[in-house]
Amino acid sequence: MTTFLSARFTDPDHITAVATTAENGAVALSITDTPAEWQELMLFGDIDDYEPPPLAAIQAELCDAIDRAAEQERRKYITSGAGQAMTYVQKADEATRFLAAEDPVAADYPILSAEVGITAASIGEVAAIVAAAYQNWQQIGAAIEAVRLGTKKAIDAAASQAAARAVFEAVEWPAP
């Protein structure tokens, strides 16, 4: 038998609860996942009613979720990782400098040089491909960032949890 010390419903329909027990400390219980423990909890009987989290907590949670969703959108177009991001920045910089140079020397462009024979046959062709890819990324990256920031602003401005969740649910990421 579980010794319940306190409990609170975690949903307005009273289907889940968080309880503090002498044996295990804080535990999460649900009517479907833990039926035996749930029956013991009902016998305990002194369960506090559900209190929704404060609006600010919901807004922070939704803003974090938007940041994660934006990163997933970015991964449709670029490889994730800090090292990969640094590589992309250097490639774009090298491509811009190479294409602007009057008499470029391949040794001055190590990342582009590494792609010769892989991405294209010459460093000039590699530079052109990288520059075009970077221009495309700037467009989609900017569109994703606009959605991310605009959504977070609207979530923070929401006057209720329902309104904040509605903003989150209505997000439409740019199409590829």
Side-chain angles (χ1 to χ4, degrees), residues 41-115:
L41 178 65
M42 292 299 106
L43 292 174
F44 171 68
D46 191 17
I47 305 170
D48 292 335
D49 202 11
Y50 168 73
E51 287 184 24
L55 177 58
I58 296 298
Q59 289 168 317
E61 177 183 306
L62 292 172
C63 286
D64 286 346
I66 284 297
D67 287 342
R68 289 188 305 275
E71 185 61 18
Q72 288 214 311
E73 286 298 312
R74 289 183 200 106
R75 288 182 189 153
K76 293 178 181 177
Y77 306 95
I78 60 173
T79 306
S80 63
Q84 189 62 54
M86 290 173 61
T87 301
Y88 285 150
V89 168
Q90 184 172 346
K91 282 171 65 168
D93 176 63
E94 286 185 15
T96 299
R97 289 187 296 112
F98 182 91
L99 294 172
E102 289 186 31
D103 192 18
V105 176
D108 294 336
Y109 311 95
I111 298 288
L112 295 183
S113 294
E115 291 193 33

